[in-house]
C-alpha cells in the first residue's frame, strides 16, 4: 500500500524524465502524479506538504533540462482532460493550464478569434507559457491574458487579474503557483486571415530555429540589447559537441540532443558557451531553460 493510495490519483514511481522533456534528457523522478481534477490536485498538495516532499510542476517539458541524477521530488503534470478544457464566452477564451498552445490556436481559429497567433509553433502548454511569459520579441502572452486561476502550494485557489501578475522578459510572478486555467482576450477576425497569420509565424520559426533534433529551444536569455544566439555564433561555437549534445549550426542558442545526450553533456556546452561569451564580450549569459537538479 503506497502513502498516496487513499487519493485514487494516477501515479507512477521512478518515472524517467527523458520521456517527458522535449530534450529527451533526464534521470528518474521519485514520484510522478497526474491529478484528475482540482480536488485531487488539492488533496495531493496537502499530502505532499505533510510529507515534506518537494514539488515540481511539469507542462509540456519543452523548457526543461533535467539532471541525469534521480530527482527526489514529486512531479505534478496537469494532463487530464479536466485541465485541458477550452471554453469560449464572446471574444474571451478560458483555457486549461494543460492545454497545448497549438490546440488553443486551433480552437480559436475555428471560432474566428484572433490574437494568439504569435504563439504558433511554441511547443508548450498554456500554463507553461504563462509561467515564463512565452512569446516573441515584440509580443508575449502577457499582452493577451485577462486573468489566471492558480492554486498555491497550500491548496488555496484564487483568480488573479492581469494587474495582479508581474510579467517580465521570460518570467512571471506566477512561478510560485500551480496554474489551473487562464482567461485570454481575443478579437473577431476573418478565419482565413487567422490561418495566414499562423502560417507566417510558423514559417518564421522554421526558418530561424533548429527543429531537426530534440532540444529545449533557446538555452540562454537574450542579454539586454543583444541576441544570445548571435553572441555564441560570433564566438565560433556552432557545431561544438560534448558527448551526444551539439551546438546547433543553424541557431547557436539551440543545443541539440543528437542521440543519447546526457544532461552533463549539455551542462558542459553551457559552461563552455558561458566562458567564451564572458571572455569575448564581458557579458554574462543567464539560462533561459529551467534546470532541475
Ligand atoms: N543570430 C545569429 N546567429 C545565430 C542565431 C541568431 O547571428 O546562430 C542572429 C539573427 O540573425 C538575428 C538575431 O541573432 O539577427 C536574433 O535571432 P532570432 O531572430 O532567431 O531571435 P532570438 O533572439 O535568437 C528570440 C527568442 C526565441 C523566439 C524568437 C522569435 C530568446 C532567448 N529567444 O530568439 O525564443 O522564438 O526570438 O522572435 O528570447 C525560446 O524561448 O526557446 C525561443 C527560441
Amino acid at each position: 500500500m503506497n502513502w498516496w493510495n487513499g487519493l485514487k490519483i494516477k501515479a507512477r514511481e521512478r518515472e524517467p524524465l527523458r520521456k517527458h522533456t522535449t530534450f529527451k534528457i533526464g534521470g528518474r523522478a521519485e514520484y510522478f502524479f497526474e491529478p484528475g481534477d482540482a480536488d485531487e490536485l488539492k488533496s495531493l498538495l496537502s499530502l505532499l506538504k505533510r510529507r515534506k516532499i518537494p514539488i515540481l510542476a511539469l507542462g509540456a517539458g519543452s523548457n526543461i533540462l533535467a539532471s541525469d541524477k534521480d530527482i527526489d521530488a514529486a512531479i505534478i503534470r496537469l494532463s487530464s482532460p479536466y485541465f485541458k478544457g477550452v471554453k469560449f464566452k464572446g471574444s474571451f477564451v478560458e483555457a486549461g493550464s494543460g492545454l497545448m498552445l497549438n490546440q488553443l490556436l486551433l480552437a480559436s481559429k475555428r471560432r474566428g478569434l484572433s490574437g494568439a497567433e504569435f504563439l504558433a509553433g511554441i511547443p508548450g502548454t498554456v500554463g507553461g507559457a504563462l509561467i515564463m511569459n512565452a512569446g516573441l520579441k515584440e509580443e508575449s502572452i502577457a499582452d493577451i491574458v485577462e486573468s489566471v486561476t492558480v492554486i498555491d502550494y497550500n491548496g488555496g485557489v484564487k483568480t488573479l487579474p492581469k494587474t495582479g501578475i508581474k510579467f517580465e522578459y521570460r518570467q512571471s510572478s506566477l512561478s510560485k503557483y500551480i496554474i489551473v486555467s487562464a482567461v485570454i482576450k481575443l478579437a473577431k477576425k476573418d478565419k482565413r486571415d487567422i490561418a495566414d497569420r499562423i502560417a507566417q509565424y510558423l514559417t518564421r520559426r522554421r526558418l530561424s530555429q533548429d527543429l531537426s533534433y530534440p532540444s529545449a529551444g533557446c538555452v540562454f536569455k537574450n542579454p539586454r540589447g543583444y541576441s544570445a544566439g548571435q553572441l555564441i555564433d560570433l564566438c565560433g561555437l556552432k557545431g561544438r559537441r560534448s558527448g551526444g549534445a551539439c551546438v546547433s549550426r543553424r541557431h547557436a542558442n539551440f543545443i541539440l540532443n543528437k542521440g543519447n545526450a546526457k544532461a552533463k553533456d549539455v551542462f558542459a556546452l553551457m559552461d563552455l558557451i558561458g566562458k567564451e561569451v564572458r571572455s569575448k564580450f564581458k557579458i554574462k549569459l543567464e539560462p533561459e531553460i529551467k534546470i532541475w537538479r
Side-chain angles (χ1 to χ4, degrees):
M1 181 86 170
N2 291 314
W3 50 264
W4 62 83
N5 276 158
L7 295 181
K8 298 196 172 38
I9 203 165
K10 196 169 158 196
R12 278 174 268 183
E13 282 179 274
R14 288 177 289 285
E15 179 69 0
L17 287 172
R18 73 185 138 70
K19 279 170 53 183
H20 301 285
T21 58
T22 57
F23 234 147
K24 308 258 176 275
I25 290 176
R28 293 171 302 180
E30 192 56 35
Y31 308 107
F32 192 94
F33 293 104
E34 292 173 279
D37 58 29
D39 287 339
E40 276 190 19
L41 174 59
K42 275 194 244 173
S43 311
L44 174 65
L45 289 173
S46 74
L47 193 54
L48 291 171
K49 189 176 179 202
R50 244 183 295 143
R51 299 188 75 94
K52 298 194 172 54
I53 297 175
I55 298 166
L56 292 167
L58 177 70
S62 56
N63 202 42
I64 286 167
L65 175 57
S67 125
D68 300 315
K69 284 187 292 206
D70 292 349
I71 296 179
D72 196 10
I75 310 294
I76 299 182
R77 191 170 69 160
L78 302 185
S79 49
S80 71
Y82 177 92
F83 293 107
K84 287 180 167 180
V86 52
K87 261 187 279 171
F88 289 90
K89 209 173 190 185
S91 55
F92 292 90
V93 56
E94 185 179 357
S97 167
L99 185 73
M100 289 298 289
L101 293 172
N102 62 348
Q103 297 292 326
L104 172 67
L105 287 184
L106 204 67
S108 307
K109 186 182 78 176
R110 273 198 213 112
R111 295 261 170 162
L113 287 171
S114 162
E117 295 88 299
F118 67 89
L119 296 170
I122 297 180
T125 57
V126 168
L130 283 161
I131 295 262
M132 60 165 307
N133 191 17
L136 312 176
K137 276 185 219 70
E138 317 77 39
E139 45 203 338
S140 71
I141 197 162
D143 303 331
I144 53 172
V145 73
E146 280 296 299
S147 64
V148 181
T149 298
V150 297
I151 185 159
D152 63 30
Y153 285 86
N154 295 315
V157 179
K158 56 183 162 183
T159 295
L160 305 166
K162 178 195 188 114
T163 47
I165 308 167
K166 200 167 166 204
F167 285 108
E168 286 172 90
Y169 167 58
R170 289 297 195 270
Q171 63 186 52
S172 77
S173 56
L174 293 167
S175 54
K176 56 177 182 279
Y177 302 109
I178 292 185
I179 297 178
V180 176
S181 62
V183 174
I184 289 168
K185 188 173 194 278
L186 302 168
K188 268 274 179 224
K189 210 180 191 138
D190 184 87
K191 285 184 192 172
R192 268 167 314 178
D193 288 351
I194 300 175
D196 285 349
R197 279 166 57 80
I198 291 177
Q200 277 164 21
Y201 281 110
L202 286 175
T203 306
R204 206 167 120 184
R205 195 166 278 276
R206 239 175 258 133
L207 287 177
S208 66
Q209 303 191 348
D210 194 337
L211 311 172
S212 59
Y213 286 93
S215 80
C218 284
V219 172
F220 294 99
K221 291 183 183 173
N222 283 339
R224 197 177 286 271
Y226 295 92
S227 152
Q230 190 169 33
L231 296 175
I232 302 165
D233 191 357
L234 289 169
C235 288
L237 293 171
K238 279 184 167 173
R240 194 62 78 92
R241 283 190 84 120
S242 172
C246 179
V247 177
S248 161
R249 289 189 184 278
R250 184 188 264 265
H251 195 300
N253 200 11
F254 276 58
I255 293 180
L256 309 176
N257 177 356
K258 286 220 161 172
N260 289 321
K262 299 277 173 226
K264 73 171 169 44
D265 302 330
V266 180
F267 289 136
L269 287 178
M270 290 175 69
D271 282 350
L272 173 73
I273 290 170
K275 280 190 191 118
E276 297 275 318
V277 169
R278 198 159 50 228
S279 108
K280 198 171 168 81
F281 300 104
K282 311 276 173 283
I283 291 174
K284 189 171 182 291
L285 291 180
E286 304 280 351
E288 195 252 3
I289 51 175
K290 276 202 194 119
I291 295 170
W292 285 1
R293 294 184 197 264

